[in-house]
Amino acid sequence: MLTTGPRGTKDILPDTSGHWQYVEKTIREVCRNFAYHEIRTPIFEHTELFLRGIGETTDIVEKEMYTFTDRGKRNITLRPENTASVVRSYLENKLYAGPQPTKLFYIGPMFRYDRPQAGRYRQFHQFGIEAIGAHGPTIDAEIISLAVELLNKLGLNELKLLINSVGCPECRPVYRTKLQEFFRDKVSHLCSDCQSRYDRNPMRILDCKNETCAEHSQGAPHMVDCLCSDCSNHFTGLKDLLTAAGISFVLNPRLVRGLDYYTKTAFEIQYSPLGAQSAVCGGGRYDGLIAECGGQPTPGIGFAIGIERVLLALEKQELLPFINNAIDVFVAPLGAETQAASFELLTELRHAGIAADMDFMNRSLKAQMKYANKYPAKFVALIGQDELAQNKVMLKNMETGSQNLIDRAELVHMIIEEMEK
Ligand code: AMP
């Protein structure tokens, strides 16, 4: 137990943390380019927020939340996603009083009691966007193009963008009735989850992964054929904008959310080389969510991208960059008496902005050279008894092999000059 982490969790070790930093840096560049600003919310919230903000009939709330009572008897949940927290923060901090729309992004860990497998974990990380305050389809097109731009910039090009409209509280009840009529004589053949969805949330039957349910939903009516004029115009507007931006898409009537506060646009981006867990991005409009969480009726739209899945895709396509852990100088003390002078030199080099390390293991000269080579280090600064006595340093250029005895006082300056060459 003590030497094994909880199921579904993963350590990000030094040999891969550079890949995470690369993806995060690219995210930050794209967000800056699109004028989205970072928000960081706590990783736990009152459970009530997620019951409201995600919906009590969703799989996340019904089966996947990490919920506990804290020592003050509060009901707390580790965030399974970040939209509800962002909306809570938007209301609590009155972000609606600032420039509109409010354009936010986040990067961080999420927690779901999911069945762990490749690309599916219990602690995983999402990058997400929330754009709050704008009604029209242009902002929908903007966030979709941001997601595509990011994935393309990372080198992922075989993307499949699926879009749908889930309507609004005006047109959805009509569709819901049609759907229930369609499934009426099929209910007994559906899985137990879908049998309870039939009354509570029939649209969710459409995205059930169970094969029998999928078979029985063949030929079901489509929401896009039942949209009111406002939703229909919005959807047409989005398709026109995506076409104008050169972003190809496929209509997928099975892409649903089915809760009242999810409205209009729903989308997903798949990267098929990933196989079973091919969804890298999921998003949609939530025009009813802010009012549901206690704010004034305010439109919003967002998406979340799974960072582990993006990294898996980059690894698969050999698109991960080489992680450079090289240093400029390795300080090599020879003997206990030279430790202090070596540490002083190391400190001075670091103060000057030079990446440096030294031997802490009392290695032999040969072993130190081997270690420095492995790093790799550009220079080795050797301080033995003679060098110490003469106030000098033996500087070895590891690339050329040349070796020079340098005055200690000149060393830092000299290295800076060498580095600038
Ligand atoms: P969702 O919040 O469920 O719409 O998921 C958005 C994205 O997060 C998905 O497309 C996945 O890339 C990623 N994701 C969701 N659940 C997990 C999980 N358990 N493990 C890893 N990635 C996940």
Side-chain angles (χ1 to χ4, degrees), residues 81 112 114 119-121 124 126 257 279-282 304-306 308-309:
E81 52 101 76
R112 292 185 197 172
D114 235 329
R120 192 168 282 282
Y121 313 99
F124 61 100
Q126 287 184 334
R257 299 218 158 197
V280 288
C281 173
I305 286 182
E308 281 84 355
R309 299 230 181 131

Side-chain angles (χ1 to χ4, degrees), residues 108-130:
M110 309 296 154
F111 307 86
R112 292 185 197 172
Y113 195 80
D114 235 329
R115 200 162 54 82
Q117 53 195 287
R120 192 168 282 282
Y121 313 99
R122 290 186 174 166
Q123 173 172 331
F124 61 100
H125 297 75
Q126 287 184 334
F127 151 59
I129 284 285
E130 310 296 348

Side-chain angles (χ1 to χ4, degrees), residues 40 105 122 188 224 330 360 379:
R40 300 187 192 194
F105 81 89
R122 290 186 174 166
S188 57
V224 282
F330 185 77
F360 294 98
F379 297 96

Side-chain angles (χ1 to χ4, degrees), residues 86-294:
V86 169
V87 167
R88 194 263 312 132
S89 176
Y90 167 88
L91 294 172
E92 184 171 342
N93 298 294
K94 301 187 174 50
L95 299 186
Y96 44 81
Q100 295 303 304
T102 304
K103 302 199 339 175
L104 305 167
F105 81 89
Y106 59 82
I107 302 174
M110 309 296 154
F111 307 86
R112 292 185 197 172
Y113 195 80
D114 235 329
R115 200 162 54 82
Q117 53 195 287
R120 192 168 282 282
Y121 313 99
R122 290 186 174 166
Q123 173 172 331
F124 61 100
H125 297 75
Q126 287 184 334
F127 151 59
I129 284 285
E130 310 296 348
I132 305 175
H135 276 287
T138 321
I139 197 90
D140 305 27
E142 174 177 85
I143 72 157
I144 292 174
S145 76
L146 190 158
V148 171
E149 172 83 15
L150 170 72
L151 296 167
N152 285 344
K153 201 166 176 177
L154 290 168
L156 301 175
N157 296 312
E158 295 164 60
L159 303 173
K160 189 168 173 191
L161 167 65
L162 308 170
I163 61 167
N164 192 23
S165 174
V166 296
C168 69
E170 193 185 314
C171 50
R172 203 158 34 218
V174 182
Y175 175 61
R176 189 189 155 100
T177 309
K178 274 194 177 182
L179 209 53
Q180 280 175 326
E181 272 165 23
F182 174 83
F183 282 115
R184 186 158 299 144
D185 55 1
K186 301 180 176 67
V187 187
S188 57
H189 304 294
L190 303 177
C191 72
S192 58
D193 279 350
C194 283
Q195 292 191 3
S196 79
R197 285 172 184 150
Y198 176 78
D199 286 317
R200 296 194 298 163
N201 198 347
M203 280 173 87
R204 290 288 319 282
I205 302 174
L206 298 178
D207 74 346
C208 181
K209 303 287 177 280
N210 182 303
E211 272 179 28
T212 318
C213 298
E215 265 169 38
H216 283 289
S217 56
Q218 291 292 333
H222 293 166
M223 182 71 231
V224 282
D225 298 324
C226 304
L227 297 177
C228 62
S229 63
D230 181 31
C231 289
S232 173
N233 289 340
H234 190 100
F235 198 44
T236 307
L238 173 63
K239 288 185 282 187
D240 290 348
L241 287 157
L242 291 175
T243 307
I247 299 172
S248 46
F249 56 85
V250 180
L251 300 186
N252 183 349
R254 286 173 179 276
L255 208 61
V256 296
R257 299 218 158 197
L259 292 168
D260 277 355
Y261 36 84
Y262 290 116
T263 52
K264 298 178 175 147
T265 310
F267 67 97
E268 184 171 296
I269 301 177
Q270 297 180 344
Y271 186 70
S272 48
L274 277 179
Q277 309 298 327
S278 66
V280 288
C281 173
R285 192 165 261 285
Y286 46 78
D287 289 351
L289 178 59
I290 287 127
E292 181 73 25
C293 293

Side-chain angles (χ1 to χ4, degrees), residues 350-400:
R350 288 173 171 171
H351 279 166
I354 296 165
D357 202 356
M358 73 178 263
D359 177 65
F360 294 98
M361 310 299 289
N362 294 323
R363 290 181 178 88
S364 68
L365 174 61
K366 199 173 156 203
Q368 289 200 49
M369 286 311 222
K370 211 170 145 192
Y371 188 75
N373 235 335
K374 227 172 151 186
Y375 239 115
K378 282 197 196 100
F379 297 96
V380 171
L382 218 143
I383 306 184
Q385 306 287 350
D386 291 352
E387 287 81 7
L388 189 66
Q390 298 171 48
N391 211 11
K392 302 227 181 216
V393 174
M394 181 65 80
L395 188 67
K396 178 164 183 175
N397 183 323
M398 298 297 277
E399 278 155 22
T400 63

